[in-house]
Amino acid sequence: MTGDSLRIERNGIVVECTTGDIAGQQDIDAVVNAANAQLQIGGGVAGAIHRAGGPALDAECRPLAPIKPGEAVITGGAELPNSYVIHCLGPVYGRDTPEAELLAACYRNALKRAEETGLQSIAFPAISTGAFGYPMREAAQIAFATIAEALPDLSSVTHIRFVLYSRRDRDLHEEVMRDVLGDAG
Ligand code: AR6
């Protein structure tokens, strides 16, 4: 994987931040796609995931589209190293409102899909913080607050990873994660 990462354990669940490519998470059951409504290939995360997943991923997505902001749907991983992909449509900042609720719904619904499927591990990108323009710090606060709220109800998921694209984004996420989840490992 991608070298050092900050890991915090809560309720027997490991939450960690790392840098890397969301399409290269070999040891994870499901990666989350920062999707578009049509669940098609796009830029950023949706480009990396669909390029790695190949035509079989595209074919599995078609009947499930379109989805609405805040929703999450699950498919197989096709040619990705993961058994599953959970596709979330994040809010476009300044257009899809209330943004904070819709972004929180992405994280909540993604965890719901993972639990329903009995998955142990899930990796998230920073949904909405690229093309959709959500300020990174606000988005990180929502992401970790939503996860903190969900932790006591998780029964199959034991490992949640945030995969950030740059060291700077990861530093910011680690800072927010410490604030929200506390420091002790
Ligand atoms: N691995 C991990 N993180 C990444 C990667 C990667 N391979 N590539 C980019 N990021 P975005 P959104 C970071 O734009 O804002 C698409 O075109 C990136 O730096 O992928 O939810 C879709 O088709 C940023 O911090 O997702 C949609 O139309 C974060 O991942 C739209 O963009 C999210 O960036 C979705 O926009």
Side-chain angles (χ1 to χ4, degrees):
M1 249 260 338
T2 41
D4 59 329
S5 64
L6 176 69
R7 296 161 78 94
I8 290 180
E9 197 178 323
R10 285 284 168 279
N11 305 65
I13 297 158
V14 170
V15 186
E16 65 175 349
C17 288
T18 189
T19 39
D21 179 1
I22 192 73
Q25 305 301 309
Q26 273 88 356
D27 57 336
I28 292 285
D29 294 335
V31 286
V32 173
N33 183 14
N36 49 65
Q38 296 305 322
L39 304 178
Q40 288 172 359
I41 190 165
V45 168
I49 284 185
H50 275 274
R51 272 192 303 276
L57 181 62
D58 186 58
E60 238 195 286
C61 282
R62 272 169 204 277
L64 303 175
I67 64 168
K68 297 196 187 85
E71 287 184 351
V73 295
I74 188 165
T75 65
E79 290 173 51
L80 277 152
N82 319 96
S83 302
Y84 297 93
V85 179
I86 297 174
H87 308 260
C88 290
L89 179 60
V92 175
Y93 194 72
R95 189 191 78 187
D96 299 319
T97 55
E99 286 112 339
E101 272 177 42
L102 293 171
L103 187 60
C106 285
Y107 287 94
R108 229 179 0 253
N109 287 326
L111 288 172
K112 232 185 246 173
R113 297 292 91 81
E115 283 280 314
E116 286 163 5
T117 316
L119 307 185
Q120 291 181 357
S121 53
I122 181 168
F124 286 98
I127 299 169
S128 281
T129 65
F132 284 177
Y134 216 114
M136 183 80 64
R137 182 175 294 274
E138 278 178 50
Q141 279 161 345
I142 292 162
F144 288 115
T146 307
I147 281 167
E149 221 176 270
L151 285 180
D153 298 324
L154 297 179
S155 55
S156 71
V157 173
T158 56
H159 185 181
I160 300 172
R161 176 180 293 157
F162 277 79
V163 181
L164 290 320
Y165 215 34
S166 71
R167 182 63 207 228
R168 197 165 136 233
D169 294 346
R170 179 178 133 198
D171 287 346
L172 186 151
H173 276 76
E174 289 186 347
E175 188 194 321
V176 174
M177 179 165 105
R178 276 199 193 92
D179 278 356
V180 176
L181 295 180
D183 230 338

